[in-house]
Amino acid sequence: RPRAWFGRLDYIVDMLSFLFAAITAVAIARYRRCSRYCPPLSLLSLAVVHCCRLPSSLSLPLLLPSMEDVAKDLAAGTVGGAAQLIVGHPFDTIKVKLQSQPAPLPGQPPKYSGAMDAVKQTISAEGPRGLYKGMGAPLATVAAFNALLFTVRGQMEALLRSEPGTALTVNQQVICGAGAGVAVSFLACPTELIKCRLQAQSALASSTTSSGAVKYGGPMDVAKHVMREAGVRGLFKGLVPTLSREVPGNAAMFGVYEALKQKFAGGPDTSGLSRGSLIVAGGLAGASFWASVYPTDVVKSVIQVDDYRNPKYSSSIDAFRKILASEGVKGLYRGFGPAMARSVPANAACFLVYEITRSSLG
């Protein structure tokens, strides 16, 4: 009786929730020195799924989006992500250079005195192309990343709707953003590790001997070096801070985006908003992402560019403590200016292009 079996959505949700918890536990257990995070993360995954459950009396077609909707989210997310990357990557390069530069010796100035100095030194040493270094890795995966982000968000929206076509509340959009953040973390971690190591190598080279400085020829070269030194799991170095950034960051971003859209529209129906309103809402939503999680991003960056054989940091907590001890709170906000300068135009472009593409697809 397949029809009756599919109707029992409560059993399907139970199986999916426990499967997700098991996968989370195994993945984190295999991650170096992070087995202690298995129980809380497993329980968290169960709690998130069960908190989002709906009455089993609802039919499966009502709860799950159609393949046509999934395809539209995939296409719109891909195009929006490409726009975000093209606009924001130079800002991101400067942010990573400022974050990952070594702490200066007593009495000596840092390699970069600020964002503009980092721009000048980068262009002087590498030309304008240096601002787009490391773009290959995110460009190759931007389709998958943003398609996954917006598709998971769209599926969670469908699960949380009481009936098709109804608008979600801001709190429900926060839940959708958090769920999407969990999904994209596992793709963002290896992608950003490759990007960060490419972007930061010129800054790190000054603190090492010329023979010890690794020069990467491109994204694939970084992946080869990492896998040679630490295997496949080396690509997932920094997974814990990536999750700690993506989950609350996306929750804040999508929550703020929906709140601003509803405020501009004067109600839950936001279909008639102008492009200017979408640009403002998207830009401020992106700013809220970084404002809420920036210290976590700094920890992620220093962990991901750290040496595999002789690591300076034993864990995310250790990195946080050492940055705080050596540089104070200011050290946790290195590169904050370029990050905020990037987030507004990049996310404004992303959300605007996504909304235009999504509406044009029907």
Side-chain angles (χ1 to χ4, degrees):
R1 299 172 59 186
R3 186 181 298 274
W5 184 84
F6 277 110
R8 298 301 302 274
L9 185 63
D10 50 338
Y11 291 132
I12 296 174
V13 172
D14 282 336
M15 287 188 290
L16 289 176
S17 62
F18 280 104
L19 178 62
F20 182 73
I23 292 173
T24 303
V26 172
I28 301 300
R30 292 179 64 85
Y31 186 69
R32 186 183 300 176
R33 295 186 295 272
C34 287
S35 60
R36 63 182 178 275
Y37 294 109
C38 295
L41 282 176
S42 300
L43 292 174
L44 176 61
S45 65
L46 284 170
V48 169
V49 174
H50 280 280
C51 283
C52 295
R53 289 186 62 183
L54 292 176
S56 59
S57 59
L58 296 176
S59 63
L60 190 63
L62 177 63
L63 289 170
L64 297 181
S66 66
M67 289 305 297
E68 183 182 358
D69 289 334
V70 172
K72 290 176 182 178
D73 282 330
L74 284 169
T78 299
V79 179
Q84 180 186 44
L85 183 65
I86 293 170
V87 172
H89 193 79
F91 295 96
D92 189 65
T93 297
I94 299 304
K95 172 182 73 73
V96 172
K97 284 179 178 288
L98 289 172
Q99 287 178 339
S100 57
Q101 66 175 324
L105 297 174
Q108 293 187 358
K111 179 176 176 62
Y112 304 116
S113 60
M116 291 307 300
D117 184 48
V119 172
K120 292 177 182 177
Q121 289 195 41
T122 300
I123 294 177
S124 176
E126 307 172 53
R129 292 180 59 185
L131 295 173
Y132 285 90
K133 181 170 284 188
M135 188 174 173
L139 186 61
T141 57
V142 66
F145 182 91
N146 283 276
L148 181 63
L149 178 69
F150 283 99
T151 301
V152 172
R153 176 202 174 209
Q155 292 186 8
M156 293 194 69
E157 284 179 339
L159 286 171
L160 292 175
R161 281 194 179 97
S162 57
E163 57 183 55
T166 57
L168 297 184
T169 66
V170 173
N171 289 337
Q172 288 174 320
Q173 285 291 354
V174 169
I175 294 174
C176 293
V182 173
V184 299
S185 294
F186 293 92
L187 180 60
C189 185
T191 301
E192 295 214 355
L193 182 139
I194 292 172
K195 174 182 69 71
C196 286
R197 294 183 84 86
L198 276 172
Q199 290 173 325
Q201 63 177 336
S202 61
L204 296 174
S206 63
S207 64
T208 61
T209 62
S210 59
S211 61
V214 177
K215 290 293 184 180
Y216 301 116
M220 291 304 298
D221 192 36
V222 177
K224 290 177 183 177
H225 273 86
V226 170
M227 293 182 68
R228 190 180 303 125
E229 292 185 24
V232 175
R233 71 177 183 179
L235 293 172
F236 289 89
K237 187 175 186 179
L239 178 60
V240 172
T242 301
L243 280 163
S244 301
R245 183 194 72 176
E246 293 294 329
V247 175
N250 280 293
M253 182 174 70
F254 284 111
V256 169
Y257 183 62
E258 185 63 27
L260 289 173
K261 285 204 304 177
Q262 292 188 14
K263 182 176 180 59
F264 294 152
D269 183 10
T270 61
S271 58
L273 282 178
S274 66
R275 293 184 179 182
S277 297
L278 294 175
I279 289 173
V280 173
L284 293 177
S288 70
F289 180 105
W290 291 110
S292 60
V293 297
Y294 194 79
T296 306
D297 185 66
V298 174
V299 171
K300 180 199 71 70
S301 293
V302 299
I303 288 287
Q304 290 187 324
V305 301
D306 199 12
D307 188 64
Y308 284 94
R309 296 177 181 174
N310 300 298
K312 181 179 179 181
Y313 308 107
S314 61
S315 66
S316 300
I317 299 298
D318 182 53
F320 177 84
R321 289 173 177 170
K322 287 182 176 178
I323 293 172
L324 201 59
S326 62
E327 304 175 57
V329 176
K330 184 179 179 181
L332 295 171
Y333 285 89
R334 285 184 299 182
F336 184 70
M340 294 301 288
R342 167 192 177 274
S343 66
V344 175
N347 284 281
C350 178
F351 278 106
L352 175 63
V353 172
Y354 170 82
E355 296 284 4
I356 292 175
T357 306
R358 188 66 174 82
S359 62
S360 67
L361 293 174

